[in-house]
Amino acid sequence: VKGLDFPFVDKSILIAEWLELHKILGVDKIYLYELNVHPNISKVLQYYINEGFVELMPLSLPAGQPNTPHEMHKYLTENIQLKRAHEKLPYNDCFYKTMNKYKYVANLDMDEIIIPRKYETYEELFGKLNRKPKKGLTNNIAAYSFSRFLVMNSMREIHGWTSGIPQYMYMLQNVYRSSKPEGGVKSVLVTDLVLDTGNHRPRRCSGGRGCKIAKVDTRDGFIFHFRSSCKDGRDVKCSPSNDVKDSVLWKYKQLLTHRTTKVLKMLNLI
């Protein structure tokens, strides 16, 4: 995960839910980079560091750019293209640290999660994808790209809260998404073939013939992109009038709620 820049907003409860869901999905380890974060976020991250599930690396902006919380946050917000360029540094640092440990590495934000539609875990999903490679790609697939669907707070708000699920379980409560993908994908990298990566897909691959990327059918898997507000001219896809109910995450409801609640109570966050 790229550098975390949440100095003033407490996303600790959502991050705990996000991390616990990745554990259920079968992720071995989460590598995080920290710019500036809220004290409660630090508390959550330290718990998972102690558990061995998270590795956290401090991160700063180079060459005289601002690194104090207020100035950095303002600077990155106002210079979005520069921000995206900076993100390539932790993405590639993480990739090179993990390329000899894992077959698959994913670059994701903490408001995104890859959802297996027909399966329970990533191991089952990628087992299926490897059995049926896309035509013409054979076994030289360097990355699997997943479509993203927006899940907006406003979509949930017009429908109200779902009873039987704690309101602090953000992802389980937000089950209304855009009916069509928002555009732009995120990719899971195959470490044997990728040489370096960009924000959303590999940039260079071995063999000198470009990177072969397989688009995953949304019936097999896709990304929920949770957002509190719209951006980048996506107003139509952000509109609650274009939402559909998709409760696929509820297959993890009981286990995810139990595990997240246990951690949050232990850390005195609820």
Side-chain angles (χ1 to χ4, degrees):
V1 180
K2 67 189 180 189
L4 302 180
D5 177 38
F6 303 120
F8 315 115
V9 178
D10 183 4
K11 293 181 176 285
S12 57
I13 294 177
L14 171 59
I15 289 172
E17 183 184 13
W18 187 85
L19 289 169
E20 286 296 336
L21 181 52
H22 275 98
K23 287 171 68 176
I24 293 170
L25 287 164
V27 169
D28 183 69
K29 196 151 193 171
I30 302 284
Y31 293 80
L32 301 169
Y33 292 77
E34 179 183 341
L35 291 167
N36 294 290
V37 298
H38 188 280
N40 284 344
I41 296 177
S42 292
K43 185 188 296 187
V44 168
L45 296 182
Q46 190 59 54
Y47 171 84
Y48 289 100
I49 291 168
N50 294 341
E51 195 179 60
F53 184 57
V54 163
E55 183 171 318
L56 182 66
M57 282 69 70
L59 186 66
S60 60
L61 302 182
Q65 296 173 87
N67 280 293
T68 55
H70 284 84
E71 283 128 352
M72 178 195 285
H73 185 72
K74 183 174 184 291
Y75 177 76
L76 292 176
T77 302
E78 293 176 350
N79 296 276
I80 190 66
Q81 294 305 320
L82 181 62
K83 175 180 181 290
R84 288 171 180 162
H86 277 308
E87 290 168 4
K88 293 181 176 65
L89 298 175
Y91 283 151
N92 281 285
D93 181 71
C94 179
F95 178 71
Y96 294 134
K97 284 180 178 179
T98 58
M99 62 187 297
N100 294 319
K101 297 179 182 180
Y102 302 104
K103 182 174 181 179
Y104 301 112
V105 174
N107 297 336
L108 291 175
D109 296 339
M110 281 190 155
D111 60 1
E112 299 171 325
I113 193 151
I114 298 171
I115 308 298
R117 169 65 74 183
K118 301 176 183 177
Y119 311 96
E120 299 294 317
T121 66
Y122 292 149
E123 184 177 11
E124 293 172 353
L125 172 61
F126 283 94
K128 185 269 181 185
L129 296 177
N130 280 324
R131 286 194 302 272
K132 295 182 179 180
K134 291 284 186 179
K135 184 178 180 181
L137 291 174
T138 64
N139 293 320
N140 296 320
I141 296 173
Y144 294 89
S145 67
F146 290 83
S147 299
R148 297 188 299 173
F149 291 85
L150 284 166
V151 182
M152 305 292 299
N153 286 1
S154 57
M155 295 174 180
R156 193 266 310 151
E157 288 165 358
I158 64 172
H159 296 283
W161 299 103
T162 299
S163 61
I165 297 175
Q167 292 183 13
Y168 56 79
M169 297 298 294
Y170 181 86
M171 292 186 290
L172 291 179
Q173 281 285 354
N174 283 269
V175 294
Y176 294 89
R177 61 164 174 82
S178 57
S179 58
K180 296 181 179 180
E182 63 174 299
V185 299
K186 283 292 184 77
S187 301
V188 174
L189 311 176
V190 179
T191 56
D192 288 344
L193 298 173
V194 174
L195 297 178
D196 62 67
T197 183
N199 303 56
H200 288 223
R201 58 183 60 83
R203 294 180 65 228
R204 294 187 305 143
C205 296
S206 60
R209 301 180 64 182
C211 300
K212 295 181 179 179
I213 301 176
K215 180 74 175 292
V216 177
D217 192 311
T218 56
R219 291 172 295 183
D220 291 322
F222 55 88
I223 291 175
F224 274 169
H225 187 189
F226 296 92
R227 291 196 56 82
S228 59
S229 60
C230 205
K231 69 172 187 177
D232 298 338
R234 305 173 195 174
D235 295 17
V236 173
K237 293 185 176 67
C238 290
S239 172
S241 64
N242 292 315
D243 70 20
V244 295
K245 185 175 183 178
D246 191 337
S247 57
V248 63
L249 280 181
W250 284 357
K251 60 186 173 183
Y252 309 111
K253 177 171 60 176
Q254 185 174 352
L255 183 58
L256 180 58
T257 301
H258 171 74
R259 289 186 176 183
T260 304
T261 301
K262 181 179 178 181
V263 171
L264 295 176
K265 286 183 176 179
M266 189 183 306
L267 298 177
N268 296 316
L269 293 173
I270 57 172

